[in-house]
C-alpha cells in the first residue's frame, strides 16, 4: 500500500494487475512448451512431438515413465496429447519449463511404487492403448504393456503369460481379462499353491493355470 500512497483501492488494483500479469506469463510458458512439440498440421502433440519431448527429457520413448506421464495428463489416446490435456496436465504438475519437466521425472517414477496408484495406471492403460472405436486391446499392444508394467511389479510369471496368450489365445484382449490379470498376479502365488479352480476368474486365466501345470512350470497336483 505504501507504493500507492496508502490508498486501499489503488493497492488492490495494483495487486490484481500483478496477479493477472503473473497468470498471463505462466499461461504463455505453458503454451510455449506445448508449441515446442505440437504437430505443424494439427493443434496436438503427436508421435513425433512426443519423441522430441523424450529426447529433450533424455528418456526412452518406451520407458514406463511416459505411460505415467500420459496418466497424469489424462491422455485419451496413446502417442497423442491434446492441447487441453497437455497444458492442463503440466499446469497441475507445476511444470512451465523443460528444466522443471526433467526434475519431475523422479516423481513420476515414484507414482508406480504406490499400490493404489499403480492399479490406476494399469487400468488407465487399457483405454489409452486400445484403438479408437475398439472394445478390446490388440494382443501385440497388450503384451508390450504387460512386459512393461509387470516388470515394475516383478511378477515372475509374466513371460509365461505372454507366451501362453500368443500360443493359445492369439487374439485381442478383453477389458475383463486385462483387469483381472492384475488381481491374479497380485493374489495367486506363482506356484499356484493358493489357486482356486472354482474361483470367479475369467476362463482365459483358468486356462493359463492349466497351461502352467501342463508345461511343468507349476507343480500343483491336478487331483488337488
Amino acid at each position: 500500500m505504501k507504493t500507492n500512497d496508502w490508498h486501499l483501492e489503488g493497492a488492490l488494483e495494483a495487486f490484481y494487475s500483478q496477479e493477472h500479469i503473473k497468470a498471463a506469463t505462466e499461461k504463455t510458458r505453458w503454451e510455449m512448451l506445448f508449441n515446442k512439440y505440437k504437430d505443424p498440421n494439427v493443434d496436438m502433440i503427436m508421435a513425433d512431438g512426443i519423441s522430441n519431448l523424450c529426447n529433450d527429457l533424455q528418456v526412452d520413448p518406451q520407458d514406463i515413465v511416459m505411460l505415467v506421464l500420459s496418466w497424469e495428463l489424462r491422455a485419451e489416446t496413446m502417442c497423442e496429447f491434446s492441447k487441453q490435456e497437455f497444458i492442463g496436465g503440466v499446469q497441475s504438475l507445476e511444470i512451465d519449463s523443460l528444466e522443471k519437466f526433467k526434475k519431475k521425472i523422479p516423481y513420476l517414477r515414484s507414482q508406480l511404487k504406490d499400490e493404489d496408484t499403480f492399479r490406476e495406471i494399469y487400468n488407465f492403460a487399457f483405454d489409452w492403448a486400445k484403438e479408437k472405436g475398439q472394445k478390446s486391446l490388440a494382443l501385440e499392444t497388450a503384451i508390450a504393456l504387460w512386459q512393461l508394467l509387470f516388470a515394475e511389479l516383478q511378477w515372475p510369471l509374466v513371460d509365461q503369460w505372454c507366451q501362453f496368450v500368443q500360443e493359445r489365445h492369439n487374439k485381442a484382449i478383453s477389458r475383463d481379462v486385462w483387469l483381472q490379470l492384475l488381481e491374479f498376479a497380485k493374489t495367486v502365488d506363482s506356484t499356484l499353491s493358493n489357486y482356486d479352480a472354482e474361483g470367479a476368474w475369467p476362463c482365459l486365466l483358468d486356462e493359463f493355470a492349466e497351461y502352467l501345470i501342463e508345461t511343468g512350470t507349476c507343480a500343483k497336483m491336478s487331483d488337488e
Side-chain angles (χ1 to χ4, degrees), residues 88-99:
V90 295
Q91 181 179 359
S92 177
L93 288 167
E94 299 181 342
I95 294 170
D96 61 8
S97 67
L98 186 60
E99 193 60 35

Side-chain angles (χ1 to χ4, degrees), residues 139 143 146 161-170 204:
L139 180 61
I143 287 174
W146 280 325
W161 167 257
C162 291
Q163 183 176 343
F164 162 74
V165 290
Q166 285 178 306
E167 291 179 2
R168 304 289 179 90
H169 187 62
N170 198 29
L204 193 61

Side-chain angles (χ1 to χ4, degrees), residues 29-49:
R29 287 176 183 170
W30 296 323
E31 291 194 348
M32 285 176 62
L33 201 56
F34 172 78
N35 290 335
K36 179 177 173 64
Y37 301 106
K38 79 180 269 317
D39 189 274
N41 300 314
V42 293
D43 204 25
M44 298 181 71
I45 297 175
M46 305 298 283
D48 288 345

Side-chain angles (χ1 to χ4, degrees), residues 190-193 212-222 224:
S190 61
T191 64
L192 299 186
S193 63
L212 292 174
I213 296 167
E214 174 190 319
T215 57
T217 302
C218 296
K220 183 179 176 72
M221 301 299 293
S222 58
E224 285 184 4

Side-chain angles (χ1 to χ4, degrees), residues 100-117:
K100 287 184 180 179
F101 222 137
K102 289 179 180 179
K103 289 180 178 179
K104 201 60 105 169
I105 296 297
Y107 164 76
L108 295 175
R109 291 195 191 283
S110 72
Q111 293 286 70
L112 293 161
K113 303 302 180 184
D114 180 80
E115 184 175 344
D116 291 336
T117 303

